[in-house]
Amino acid sequence: MARLTRKPLWRGAVGLLAGLYFLVPVAASVIFTVDVPGQGFTLDAYSGILSADGFTDSLLLTLELAAATIVLVMVLLVPALVAVRLGAPRLRPLLEIICSLPLVVPSVALVSGYSSVLRWGPEHLSRTPLFQTFTAVQDKRFPFVLVLAYTVMALPLAYRALDSGLRAVDVRVLVEAARSCGASAPRAVLQVVLPNLRGALLNASFLTLALVLGEYTVGALLGYQPFAVWIVNTGGNQAQLSVAVSVLSLVVTWMLLLVFAALGRPRDRSRSLSRSSRRAGRDAAAPAPIAQEVA
């Protein structure tokens, strides 16, 4: 019995090695930022982050790009996944293959394709209204072309998160139950299906946010300066400041991960049941709206 309950030692060894693998580089980075040869311990690298040239602009630009990317990914993927679940389950493998394609295409190849299209457009469409579109998506203040590129790159991550959430619930039963109560199809999806996918939506949003915060290749090769590009450019003449910003962004990413995990945690069942009971009681006391709508 004691042999069955005893935990294998290899689990602890694997956990220790994994912890060292992740923590040793972070600890070395923190030591590099606070230990200045000849001065000793100092926090100048962290105190000078907010006043560094380009920090606020690049961070705000990246957060705006991340918000737009999350919205575009959700608008594209959620209706497609729900529609495939409800109306065409045989198309799910095809949708999975399409969403997984960015994994096998290098970022450099994607940037090469975007650059070719952006050069071809103004040359051949200069006398059409589409010329203004090509100009607008390359605006330095908000380069929407980066949103399009990040959306393509985030599709595999967001698809996995949303698909796992949809596998955990029976979408067809939920929609049919809502439709039997008088709800329209869009209302059934918005008020019944999406609340049950809260954890999957948060996970997909967090993965997309983490990708945009750390993406360097597309922004650098297209000539823009989001947060990751600014960190690399700053590291050329202010190495400690660059590493300090990287450590701070890592801490912020971990905090966001904890916040998303807390928001996606299932609510207390007893509290949900009591709330549902109170809501059901109010619905029973009130006039039946569904019967009125049907009539």
Side-chain angles (χ1 to χ4, degrees), residues 32-108:
F32 175 75
T33 56
V34 299
D35 186 19
V36 178
Q39 298 182 9
F41 179 81
T42 177
L43 295 176
D44 291 343
Y46 292 93
S47 60
I49 289 178
L50 293 179
S51 60
D53 292 337
F55 170 76
T56 305
D57 295 337
S58 61
L59 181 59
L60 291 178
L61 174 62
T62 303
L63 293 178
E64 292 174 357
L65 293 173
T69 305
I70 291 172
V71 171
L72 186 56
V73 168
M74 295 302 166
V75 169
L76 290 176
L77 269 187
V78 173
L81 286 171
V82 173
V84 166
R85 290 270 176 181
L86 293 177
R90 294 182 178 179
L91 294 180
R92 196 173 68 182
L94 177 61
L95 182 61
E96 182 177 0
I97 292 174
I98 294 175
C99 292
S100 301
L101 279 178
L103 290 176
V104 299
V105 179
S107 300
V108 177

Side-chain angles (χ1 to χ4, degrees), residues 20-276:
L20 292 175
Y21 181 80
F22 287 107
L23 293 179
V24 168
V26 177
S29 301
V30 173
I31 293 174
F32 175 75
T33 56
V34 299
D35 186 19
V36 178
Q39 298 182 9
F41 179 81
T42 177
L43 295 176
D44 291 343
Y46 292 93
S47 60
I49 289 178
L50 293 179
S51 60
D53 292 337
F55 170 76
T56 305
D57 295 337
S58 61
L59 181 59
L60 291 178
L61 174 62
T62 303
L63 293 178
E64 292 174 357
L65 293 173
T69 305
I70 291 172
V71 171
L72 186 56
V73 168
M74 295 302 166
V75 169
L76 290 176
L77 269 187
V78 173
L81 286 171
V82 173
V84 166
R85 290 270 176 181
L86 293 177
R90 294 182 178 179
L91 294 180
R92 196 173 68 182
L94 177 61
L95 182 61
E96 182 177 0
I97 292 174
I98 294 175
C99 292
S100 301
L101 279 178
L103 290 176
V104 299
V105 179
S107 300
V108 177
L110 286 176
V111 175
S112 178
Y114 294 138
S115 300
S116 302
V117 173
L118 293 176
R119 285 195 304 268
W120 172 86
E123 294 177 359
H124 295 81
L125 303 174
S126 58
R127 297 182 180 179
T128 64
L130 290 177
F131 176 76
Q132 298 297 331
T133 303
F134 277 91
T135 305
V137 298
Q138 302 179 68
D139 190 353
K140 290 284 185 181
R141 293 171 296 181
F142 185 78
F144 192 75
V145 64
L146 290 183
V147 176
L148 300 176
Y150 293 157
T151 299
V152 173
M153 298 172 68
L155 281 181
L157 305 176
Y159 174 83
R160 295 298 174 190
L162 294 175
D163 185 64
S164 61
L166 286 170
R167 288 177 185 271
V169 297
D170 196 332
V171 180
R172 184 181 297 276
V173 171
L174 290 176
V175 172
E176 289 180 355
R179 295 294 301 274
S180 65
C181 293
S184 61
R187 186 177 180 183
V189 173
L190 292 176
Q191 296 188 352
V192 178
V193 176
L194 291 187
N196 286 280
L197 298 177
R198 184 180 58 179
L201 293 173
L202 290 173
N203 290 335
S205 302
F206 172 75
L207 292 174
T208 305
L209 174 64
L211 183 143
V212 175
L213 286 176
E215 206 289 324
Y216 169 79
T217 306
V218 176
L221 295 181
L222 288 180
Y224 301 106
Q225 193 176 31
F227 192 54
V229 178
W230 178 85
I231 291 177
V232 175
N233 294 337
T234 305
N237 49 12
Q238 303 181 58
Q240 284 189 320
L241 177 63
S242 175
V243 177
V245 173
S246 301
V247 172
L248 188 62
S249 64
L250 184 62
V251 173
V252 172
T253 304
W254 282 349
M255 292 176 63
L256 288 175
L257 176 61
L258 295 177
V259 171
F260 277 71
L263 293 176
R265 186 179 302 170
R267 296 177 180 176
D268 186 15
R269 185 174 179 80
S270 59
R271 186 181 302 175
S272 301
L273 288 176
S274 61
R275 187 175 302 173
S276 302

